[in-house]
């Protein structure tokens, strides 16, 4: 009988799995969904939108939405190269130069 006990952490883990499944299939995200998806706080997203540093939509002038592919692109900006990539580029530059 004790094996059938469902804990709050079990429910929370399953809810997280379901939330992630829904968010990965959704193209347009609300600010709350975008915060979960990007691991950024809602207040930071509001700051980014108010300073126009992140692409977003305001169809009615108040509620903010994000296009998931644009959010992905924004999150992937300023990629930092690995040490191996830098060494390869340096070696190619020396050989070619």
């Amino acid at each position: 009988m004790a094996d059938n006990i469902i804990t709050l952490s079990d429910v929370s883990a399953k809810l997280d799995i379901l939330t992630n499944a829904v968010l990965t299939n959704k193209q347009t995200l609300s600010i709350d969904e975008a915060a979960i998806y990007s691991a950024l706080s809602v207040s930071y997203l509001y700051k980014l939108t108010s300073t126009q540093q992140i692409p977003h939509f305001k169809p009615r002038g108040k509620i903010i939405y994000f296009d998931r592919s644009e959010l992905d692109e924004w999150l992937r900006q300023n990629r930092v190269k690995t040490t191996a990539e830098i060494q390869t580029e340096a070696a190619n530059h020396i050989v070619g130069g």
Side-chain angles (χ1 to χ4, degrees), residues 16-17 20 24 42 55 72 76-77 82 93 96:
D16 287 343
I17 291 168
N20 288 334
T24 57
V42 171
D72 284 339
R76 290 186 182 123
Q77 67 185 352
T82 65
H93 181 71

Side-chain angles (χ1 to χ4, degrees), residues 6-73:
I6 298 173
T7 66
L8 185 57
S9 63
D10 293 337
V11 173
S12 178
K14 289 180 182 185
L15 184 58
D16 287 343
I17 291 168
L18 289 172
T19 300
N20 288 334
V22 168
L23 290 180
T24 57
N25 290 319
K26 205 172 166 192
Q27 188 60 34
T28 303
L29 304 175
S30 70
I31 195 155
D32 291 325
E33 293 166 336
I36 294 167
Y37 182 77
S38 66
L40 299 171
S41 69
V42 171
S43 62
Y44 187 60
L45 283 174
Y46 274 121
K47 180 180 179 181
L48 292 171
T49 60
S50 70
T51 56
Q52 298 178 338
Q53 295 181 44
I54 189 169
H56 62 284
F57 299 91
K58 292 172 91 175
R60 302 266 185 218
K62 286 204 174 223
I63 300 174
I64 297 171
Y65 295 99
F66 298 87
D67 180 275
R68 188 168 52 92
S69 60
E70 288 180 346
L71 186 57
D72 284 339
E73 187 177 322

